[in-house]
Amino acid sequence: QVELVQSGGGSVPAGGSLRVSCAAIGFDVTYACVSWFRQAPGKEREGVAGISLGRSRIYYADSVKGRFAISRDSAKNTVHLQMGSLSPDDTAVYYCALSPGACRSQWWSPAPYDYWGQGTQVTVSS
């Protein structure tokens, strides 16, 4: 059984930084596509960043390029999302998701992911 356990997040003023983490249980993230999504009230879930097969390829949404960084801690079987220069537009519930194997070209689509974390609130105040 695969489980994704999220931690981190919280509240921060605009311009601040936060980190969210996703610990995988039951599957080695080195052999998976792990991505972060976010969903703001009234909006669709959107892909933010993805990491394929450990670190072979990394993907970012245009809205977060240069501000967010996705990384993998192999020792802890965990994927982190470091978020910087945060703005109120980044306020959302953040989810990690895992799909066995390499990321597909449409890594940003929620459909291919088999496993999801419980969600973590990130709130950025102006």
Side-chain angles (χ1 to χ4, degrees):
Q1 184 176 352
V2 179
E3 185 179 0
L4 302 180
V5 180
Q6 295 182 218
S7 60
S11 298
V12 67
S17 299
L18 284 173
R19 188 174 81 166
V20 287
S21 300
C22 176
I25 301 170
F27 201 97
D28 189 336
V29 297
T30 307
Y31 302 106
C33 174
V34 180
S35 294
W36 285 95
F37 291 79
R38 66 186 181 186
Q39 189 164 21
K43 294 187 177 181
E44 293 187 353
R45 192 168 296 191
E46 63 169 341
V48 173
I51 186 166
S52 184
L53 300 179
R55 207 176 298 147
S56 66
R57 297 201 70 172
I58 288 177
Y59 308 87
Y60 294 104
D62 288 343
S63 59
V64 305
K65 279 180 182 176
R67 300 190 299 121
F68 289 14
I70 189 170
S71 63
R72 175 185 63 99
D73 181 338
S74 58
K76 296 182 178 179
N77 204 34
T78 296
V79 173
H80 303 292
L81 182 69
Q82 181 68 44
M83 303 178 288
S85 300
L86 286 163
S87 77
D89 289 341
D90 296 313
T91 295
V93 177
Y94 283 70
Y95 299 89
C96 63
L98 184 149
S99 176
C103 290
R104 295 165 176 79
S105 58
Q106 294 183 334
W107 64 270
W108 40 264
S109 169
Y113 294 88
D114 301 293
Y115 308 100
W116 290 83
Q118 78 275 21
T120 302
Q121 178 68 47
V122 170
T123 303
V124 185
S125 58
S126 58

